[in-house]
């Protein structure tokens, strides 16, 4: 097909959208600012809804082979006593899709393998964009300019092009900062997903395939705090020294060079994703805090829904508007619910922590799962 489609950003949103468009016969080209694209060295979870979207794109079985099936997930206090136990297996049985944990690099490699080398152009950081009745013009930091017919904006939470389209949509800091790493699980032996909520912060552990273990730690802090920016593994060990095993063990085998650190950001729900010939996707459109593990899941849903709308509509502009109609409410719900969940999980006042923990111990597990239920039950695929 002759439409020249530019995709900005080679993250999960951009790569999955490129695959979806190629399945319709288009030949989109992804422009990515990084010099190399390999997926950062951390893990993440993909819930049933993302696996369903991959299934609609025909990728589910290959993707699933890279994932560690998450059959159970527990939230506990800093002594390791259970507060909530969700039962993904029951939800799986009901909605016929599984939850998995992945190493990001594995998923990136798989998605890139679906694209020909000419579909990915590296070292191109877009700085501005214009559109007229006939097409879009993109300018890059290296001085190059590019003209195309349509633009998919998937350049992440700090999207330069979204900032131009919606200047008020600045990334907002969630109030906590996060370290992540992947270590050798043969030295720790974690078999299920566990997240610990303590007054000094949150610590999560999830096994990955290949005997690897992904951990993350979230601590309340001012934005871009110099004190925490200087944190090394030894500082995290001191910070979490009173947390239950296997937290202490996982930290003890982490190397400084494996630590990833960033402040947690989202964006206030937008009112639009479609701007004529341009469409916002993934974190550029609806970045959310990671508390529901849904950011990448929503990027994958985006690709499946965009494909479905492009198949049904006469023009790209119509498909973009229809996409927006199907995505605004669902992503808004996730951004808002996830932000609230983060507030609860990151409580640091010992009295409030104790009240929260006692309440959670009294809650039936079915209530804890109700949030997930809404996610899975909503028919995001409609008439796919
Ligand atoms: C700590 C943490 C844990 C998380 N855990 C989970 C989880 O368990 N499950 C889940 O579903 N999600 C999770 N997420 C969210 C998930 O990582 C994101 O939602 C997802 O990666 C977004 O993908 P994206 O492609 O939209 O954006 P990104 O991954 O940010 O990709 C954007 C790409 O665009 C490129 N780019 C940026 N600017 C430009 C430019 N101007 N020009 C060209 N290219 C540009 C970047 O280099 C990058 O490659 C987590 C996030 C964090 C921070």
């Amino acid at each position: 097909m002759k439409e020249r489609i530019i995709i900005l950003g080679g993250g999960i949103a951009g790569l999955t959208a490129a695959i979806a468009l190629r399945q319709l016969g288009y030949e989109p080209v992804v422009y990515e600012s990084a010099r190399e694209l390999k997926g950062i060295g951390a893990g993440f979870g993909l819930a049933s809804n993302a696996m369903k979207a991959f299934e609609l794109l025909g990728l589910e079985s290959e993707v699933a082979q890279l994932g560690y099936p998450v059959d159970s997930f527990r939230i506990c206090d800093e002594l390791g006593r259970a507060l909530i136990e969700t039962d993904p297996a029951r939800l799986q049985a009901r909605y016929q899709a599984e939850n998995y944990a992945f190493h990001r690099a594995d998923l990136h490699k798989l998605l890139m393998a679906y694209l020909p080398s000419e579909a990915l152009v590296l070292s191109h950081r877009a700085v501005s964009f214009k559109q007229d009745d006939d097409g879009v013009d993109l300018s890059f930091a290296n001085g190059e300019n590019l003209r195309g017919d349509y633009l998919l904006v998937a350049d992440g939470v700090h999207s330069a092009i979204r900032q131009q389209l919606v200047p008020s949509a600045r990334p907002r800091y969630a109030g906590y900062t996060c370290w992540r790493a992947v270590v050798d699980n043969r030295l720790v032996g974690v078999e299920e997903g566990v997240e610990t909520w303590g007054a000094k912060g949150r610590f999560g552990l999830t096994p990955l395939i290949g005997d690897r273990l992904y951990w993350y730690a979230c601590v309340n802090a001012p934005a871009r705090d110099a004190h925490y920016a200087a944190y090394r593994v030894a500082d995290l060990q001191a910070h979490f020294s009173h947390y239950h095993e296997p937290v202490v063990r996982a930290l003890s085998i982490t190397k400084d060079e494996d630590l990833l650190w960033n402040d947690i950001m989202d964006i206030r729900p937008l009112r639009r994703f479609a701007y004529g010939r341009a469409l916002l996707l993934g974190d550029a459109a609806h970045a959310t805090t990671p508390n529901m593990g849904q950011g990448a899941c929503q990027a994958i849903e985006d690709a499946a829904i965009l494909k479905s709308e492009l198949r049904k509509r006469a023009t790209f502009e119509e498909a973009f508007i229809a996409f927006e109609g199907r995505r605004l409410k669902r992503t808004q719900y996730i951004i808002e619910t996830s932000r609230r969940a983060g507030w609860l999980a990151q409580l640091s006042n010992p009295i409030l922590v104790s009240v929260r923990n006692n309440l959670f111990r009294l809650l039936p597990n079915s209530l804890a799962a109700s949030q997930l239920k809404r996610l899975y039950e909503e028919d995001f695929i409609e008439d796919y």
Side-chain angles (χ1 to χ4, degrees):
M1 288 181 207
K2 63 175 181 4
E3 285 89 346
R4 290 161 305 165
I5 302 159
I6 302 166
I7 299 181
L8 196 60
I12 287 168
L15 295 179
T16 316
I19 294 169
L21 263 69
R22 285 187 68 80
Q23 292 174 345
L24 295 176
Y26 298 106
E27 292 179 356
V29 179
V30 177
Y31 287 83
E32 161 62 44
S33 58
R35 269 184 291 174
E36 196 188 357
L37 206 53
K38 51 186 165 74
I40 57 164
F44 69 132
L46 289 186
S48 306
N49 57 311
M51 297 309 290
K52 189 87 201 159
F54 270 138
E55 191 186 323
L56 299 172
L57 296 172
L59 307 180
E60 195 250 357
S61 56
E62 268 198 84
V63 169
Q65 281 175 29
L66 300 176
Y68 185 97
V70 182
D71 297 324
S72 62
F73 186 77
R74 202 156 46 88
I75 295 177
C76 53
D77 68 12
E78 54 202 42
L79 298 177
R81 295 172 302 198
L83 300 175
I84 304 173
E85 286 186 73
T86 54
D87 184 359
R90 240 187 48 212
L91 289 164
Q92 277 160 25
R94 186 152 174 197
Y95 306 112
Q96 276 111 47
E98 286 189 284
N99 301 284
Y100 293 92
F102 294 87
H103 194 293
R104 280 174 189 263
D106 294 347
L107 188 64
H108 249 81
K109 204 164 146 199
L110 175 72
L111 296 177
M112 282 197 297
Y114 276 92
L115 299 172
S117 56
E118 65 274 17
L120 181 60
V121 180
L122 299 170
S123 302
H124 275 66
R125 183 166 66 82
V127 286
S128 68
F129 144 87
K130 276 191 315 219
Q131 62 178 315
D132 54 39
D133 290 346
D134 301 318
V136 296
D137 290 293
L138 210 53
S139 304
F140 294 95
N142 61 11
E144 285 181 36
N145 295 302
L146 183 70
R147 176 123 177 122
D149 294 308
Y150 298 100
L151 174 67
L152 301 183
V153 182
D155 52 349
V157 60
H158 297 285
S159 170
I161 302 304
R162 182 202 61 232
Q163 230 43 69
Q164 194 190 323
L165 289 165
V166 199
S168 60
R170 301 225 162 264
R172 53 178 184 174
Y173 180 46
Y176 36 95
T177 197
C178 183
W179 293 265
R180 293 176 275 174
V182 174
V183 296
D184 188 343
N185 199 17
R186 286 169 304 185
L187 306 174
V188 192
V190 174
E191 288 175 0
E192 59 165 8
V194 188
E195 192 170 279
T196 302
W197 294 3
K200 288 194 78 176
R202 195 164 19 145
F203 201 101
L205 297 137
T206 310
L208 305 175
I209 62 162
D211 288 325
R212 293 169 295 180
L213 174 69
Y214 162 53
W215 67 253
Y216 53 92
C218 295
V219 170
N220 293 343
R224 293 182 297 278
D225 188 66
H227 169 72
Y228 286 116
Y231 253 38
R232 296 294 170 263
V233 173
D235 303 298
L236 289 168
Q237 283 181 287
H239 191 99
F240 291 105
S241 61
H242 59 296
Y243 276 39
H244 64 91
E245 287 295 3
V247 172
V248 173
R249 177 88 190 116
L251 281 171
S252 74
I253 61 164
T254 305
K255 300 191 189 87
D256 284 338
E257 59 269 29
D258 295 333
L259 273 190
L260 285 171
W261 172 69
N262 53 290
D263 281 351
I264 298 297
M265 321 287 289
D266 68 3
I267 53 169
R268 210 178 288 283
L270 300 181
R271 293 210 186 95
R272 288 173 65 187
F273 294 155
Y275 294 85
R277 291 174 170 270
L279 181 71
L280 302 181
L281 292 178
D283 274 12
H286 43 65
T288 174
T289 52
N291 307 305
M292 289 169 80
Q294 276 291 323
C297 297
Q298 292 306 306
I300 297 159
E301 282 190 12
D302 281 351
I305 301 302
L306 180 60
K307 181 181 170 189
S308 138
E309 289 303 333
L310 283 169
R311 249 192 335 213
K312 284 192 292 193
R313 311 285 165 181
T315 66
F316 269 69
E317 287 88 337
E318 280 176 35
F320 288 178
I321 299 269
F323 169 95
E324 175 182 283
R326 287 172 69 178
R327 302 301 292 148
L328 279 177
K329 214 167 120 209
R330 182 166 169 86
T331 52
Q332 173 176 357
Y333 163 74
I334 288 164
I335 294 171
E336 287 169 351
T337 312
S338 181
R339 205 168 167 93
R340 278 198 300 273
W343 176 83
L344 201 62
Q346 291 292 141
L347 285 179
S348 56
N349 177 313
I351 298 169
L352 291 179
V353 167
S354 161
V355 171
R356 175 198 65 196
N357 291 0
N358 286 329
L359 263 175
F360 272 37
R361 282 194 191 95
L362 295 173
L363 280 180
N365 287 331
S366 56
L367 255 187
S370 62
Q371 227 179 46
L372 297 175
K373 193 165 160 263
R374 167 156 179 195
L375 256 183
Y376 300 152
E377 234 165 38
E378 190 175 326
D379 183 13
F380 76 89
I381 30 183
E382 290 175 0
D383 51 345
Y384 197 88

